Amino acid sequence: MSALTLTNIQKSFGGNQILKSVSLDAQPGEFIALVGPSGCGKSTLLRILAGLESADSGEIVIDGRNVSRVQAADRNVAMVFQSYALYPHLTAAQNIAVPLVMRRLTRAQRIPFVAPLMPGQRKAVAAIHRDVREMATSLKIDHLLDRKPGQMSGGQRQRVALARAMVRRPAVFLMDEPLSNLDANLRVHARGEIVEMHRRASVPTVYVTHDQAEALSMADRVAVMIGGSLLQLAPPQVIYDNPQHVEVAKFVGQPRINLIASRVEAKGAIALGAERCVLLDRALPVDTPVTLGIRPEFVRVLRSGASGLPARVERVEFLGSEIIAYCRLDAIGETMIAKVTPAEGAGLAAGTAVRLSTAAEHIFVFGADGARLAAAPLVENPVREAAHG
Ligand SMILES: Nc1ncnc2c1ncn2[C@@H]1O[C@H](COP(=O)(O)OP(=O)(O)OP(=O)(O)O)[C@@H](O)[C@H]1O
């Protein structure tokens, strides 16, 4: 049984459909990264999951219980926000204790001065202190417990916010860009910490980010959302190696995937430039527009020979372990990006005449609606031969 299931969630704001029938599931202990460009509806989906916003239609089931109409406080869902939302006047220990105090103490047990006189209050407070300390130890923030948020760094505040979310052992963890306020180095470090923390807590997590590197490096599965639709939900490597939509292919990968316009030819053949390279597995009318996608690491830059697409290097970026060459195709004037090793790229400079080739099995074909079309490499393909030759 899934720990969390969202089915056909729809949401509009003032006539604008923001979520278009989104369905998603998380298995027990699974880490799902929800990625997509700004404004695609990630935070709205998370807020609906948390119960902070209501869906127009659709169903949310957590641990087998339909919580679609259940109040946020009763969903047993913990959320960590971008801003951390710590109380500035409380210490880290008091901040972490807040959800336990709200759950375990009655209203009377919380009244200052009177509370200690209430039956059971001392025992409950002692248990809360113990749980806060245990959580702080496991996240290695014991030394921060007496500090207020103003006396902590961004990374430390973020850990306190995580501790506060984890301390009540929620059924589901929701995180909305929790690292976006940290500087680049700290972000990479904090990624590892969150993954480690998640592994220990083993609570299903939905983690919203617009950073593809964060999503690919942290998640068990990545959900790519574009324009209010979930286009693909799959493990990071499948998302990268086998994108089912052109927008998914564009969103993951650095530098960005090359996209070249083409058209269906007779018998479903498709050409890259003048060279026919792949064959669709179903017949589409001749001249139907398609888009070919080729990842930069599969573009080979040839200095001699007659095969491959003639191009001219426009710009070269040296990145240490790799070289990025931006090449303009002579025939169609579009730029193709190649990622090559320093050895392969040695001597490349703006103006160098080259030929670009790729192995046909690395070419994705997308239809006019953006969906991936099944295709196979054409045998007797000069582009392919050049790539292997
Ligand atoms: N309460 C609201 N009223 C009207 N429009 C809203 C409301 N909340 C969100 N929107 C709109 O819904 C769309 C999706 O917003 P959302 O915050 O979910 O996007 P997002 O993918 O999380 O973006 P970001 O990465 O920038 O945070 C945006 O166009 C936003 O302006």
Side-chain angles (χ1 to χ4, degrees), residues 53-315:
E53 193 85 64
S54 60
D56 297 340
S57 59
E59 191 182 80
I60 303 170
V61 175
I62 296 176
D63 274 346
R65 183 168 74 116
N66 186 338
V67 296
S68 312
R69 312 247 170 281
V70 173
Q71 296 280 322
D74 299 325
R75 287 192 184 188
N76 201 15
V77 161
M79 188 148 169
V80 179
F81 297 92
Q82 200 171 62
S83 59
Y84 313 139
L86 296 175
Y87 297 105
H89 59 290
L90 300 184
T91 64
Q94 289 165 332
N95 264 291
I96 298 170
V98 166
L100 299 184
V101 168
M102 301 310 282
R103 284 196 143 207
R104 295 186 191 167
L105 300 186
T106 60
R107 196 177 287 259
Q109 285 175 328
R110 283 185 247 141
I111 301 172
F113 307 114
V114 181
L117 306 174
M118 304 303 294
Q121 197 267 3
R122 283 170 194 272
K123 213 169 150 195
V125 167
I128 290 173
H129 282 162
R130 195 184 56 235
D131 288 356
V132 167
R133 193 153 280 285
E134 264 177 34
M135 183 51 63
T137 305
S138 84
L139 288 186
K140 302 192 182 74
I141 51 171
D142 318 53
H143 60 294
L144 302 175
L145 285 177
D146 295 329
R147 292 201 212 164
K148 292 187 175 168
Q151 300 164 315
M152 291 184 256
S153 71
Q156 291 170 334
R157 266 178 249 161
Q158 182 241 350
R159 258 176 278 166
V160 172
L162 285 174
R164 184 179 58 180
M166 283 174 73
V167 75
R168 64 187 176 84
R169 313 207 178 277
V172 176
F173 235 138
L174 306 177
M175 302 196 200
D176 196 355
E177 309 229 14
L179 306 185
S180 58
N181 289 331
L182 305 183
D183 69 37
N185 281 338
L186 202 50
R187 274 180 88 121
V188 173
H189 178 73
R191 269 187 212 167
E193 281 195 345
I194 290 185
V195 169
E196 174 60 20
M197 175 215 86
H198 169 261
R199 202 183 51 74
R200 267 185 275 132
S202 199
V203 172
T205 299
V206 181
Y207 182 101
V208 162
T209 175
H210 61 263
D211 181 333
Q212 48 143 332
E214 218 166 271
L216 294 178
S217 64
M218 296 173 79
D220 296 314
R221 283 190 300 160
V222 178
V224 185
M225 195 150 114
I226 312 270
S229 298
L230 197 67
L231 296 182
Q232 196 167 353
L233 171 61
Q237 188 155 9
V238 175
I239 293 280
Y240 188 81
D241 290 345
N242 211 354
Q244 290 305 307
H245 195 282
V246 70
E247 295 299 332
V248 175
K250 271 161 69 176
F251 192 73
V252 294
Q254 191 60 34
R256 211 182 88 158
I257 191 167
N258 294 295
L259 295 173
I260 307 285
S262 188
R263 287 184 177 274
V264 176
E265 297 182 2
K267 296 185 185 153
I270 295 175
L272 174 59
E275 293 169 348
R276 298 167 85 209
C277 52
V278 290
L279 199 58
L280 291 177
D281 81 338
R282 66 190 163 107
L284 283 182
V286 169
D287 250 8
T288 303
V290 291
T291 301
L292 304 183
I294 306 163
R295 296 245 178 245
E297 60 272 32
F298 296 124
V299 176
R300 294 195 51 201
V301 182
L302 310 170
R303 317 290 176 94
S304 57
S307 61
L309 306 172
R312 195 162 287 277
V313 176
E314 288 182 309
R315 182 159 64 89

Side-chain angles (χ1 to χ4, degrees), residues 336-351:
M336 188 111 137
I337 305 172
K339 180 151 99 176
V340 297
T341 64
E344 288 164 336
L348 283 183

Side-chain angles (χ1 to χ4, degrees), residues 13 18 36-45 53 176-177 208 210:
F13 286 118
I18 302 299
S38 183
C40 71
K42 305 180 293 293
S43 299
T44 303
L45 187 65
E53 193 85 64
D176 196 355
E177 309 229 14
V208 162
H210 61 263

